Amino acid sequence: MSTAENFVARVRGGFTGATSGAVSIAAHALGGGGTPTQSAVALLIATTLAVGVVAAGTRLPLAGVLVAGQVLGHLVLSFDAGHAHIPGPAMIAGHAAATAVAALLVAAAERGCRIAIAALRRVAPKPFTPLPVRVAAPAPSFRPPVLRGLLRSAGIVPRGPPVTV
């Protein structure tokens, strides 16, 4: 998977998890469930993270992942409030509408993310590639013996590795 597709998958997972949690809290509040406790919110965050990871890591249908996230979130908040119940037709219709809208919004966010990445690739400079370096001319192999004697008498002794190396 390329870096761009990995980023788009993370956007899909983040939006799917966040949408599942937000719809669960909104449905709980509209259903008269009251304010959830800290433990319920912590469990709901863990549930929405799991939904986001599933949405980012697989190519399951987005609507199915959203429905599963809403059901799990609703169960977490219902058990916290102590009123597990069978949802009525109005609640199922509300969740279905929320799923459809959320699926459209997440798909639009994925498409927008791909468009933005493509635009950035066109505008951003190419990665730096260094120019080829020319090799310096080899050192002359012939040195007259007169120069060597003059250098030694002046106290200048070459300190390089032996020629055989």
Side-chain angles (χ1 to χ4, degrees):
M1 181 181 291
S2 70
T3 306
E5 285 302 315
N6 191 14
F7 183 74
V8 171
R10 288 181 182 194
V11 167
R12 179 186 336 107
F15 284 170
T16 303
T19 302
S20 295
V23 169
S24 296
I25 289 174
H28 187 73
L30 289 176
T35 307
T37 61
Q38 286 182 343
S39 60
V41 171
L43 191 56
L44 181 64
I45 289 172
T47 303
T48 57
L49 280 172
V51 168
V53 167
V54 167
T58 63
R59 292 304 294 175
L60 292 174
L62 190 60
V65 176
L66 283 168
V67 167
Q70 289 180 24
V71 168
L72 290 173
H74 184 77
L75 287 174
V76 165
L77 293 175
S78 294
F79 288 143
D80 175 58
H83 65 278
H85 58 86
I86 298 173
M91 183 179 292
I92 292 175
H95 277 289
T99 300
V101 170
L104 288 174
L105 289 176
V106 172
E110 282 185 61
R111 185 167 187 267
C113 189
R114 283 191 179 97
I115 290 171
I117 289 173
L120 282 174
R121 282 190 176 162
R122 282 192 302 268
V123 174
K126 301 289 182 215
F128 175 73
T129 54
L131 295 174
V133 178
R134 290 183 164 221
V135 178
S141 60
F142 175 74
R143 293 185 187 229
V146 176
L147 285 177
R148 230 180 261 163
L150 287 174
L151 289 174
R152 280 193 190 122
S153 66
I156 302 172
V157 180
R159 297 281 185 176
V163 178
T164 59
V165 175

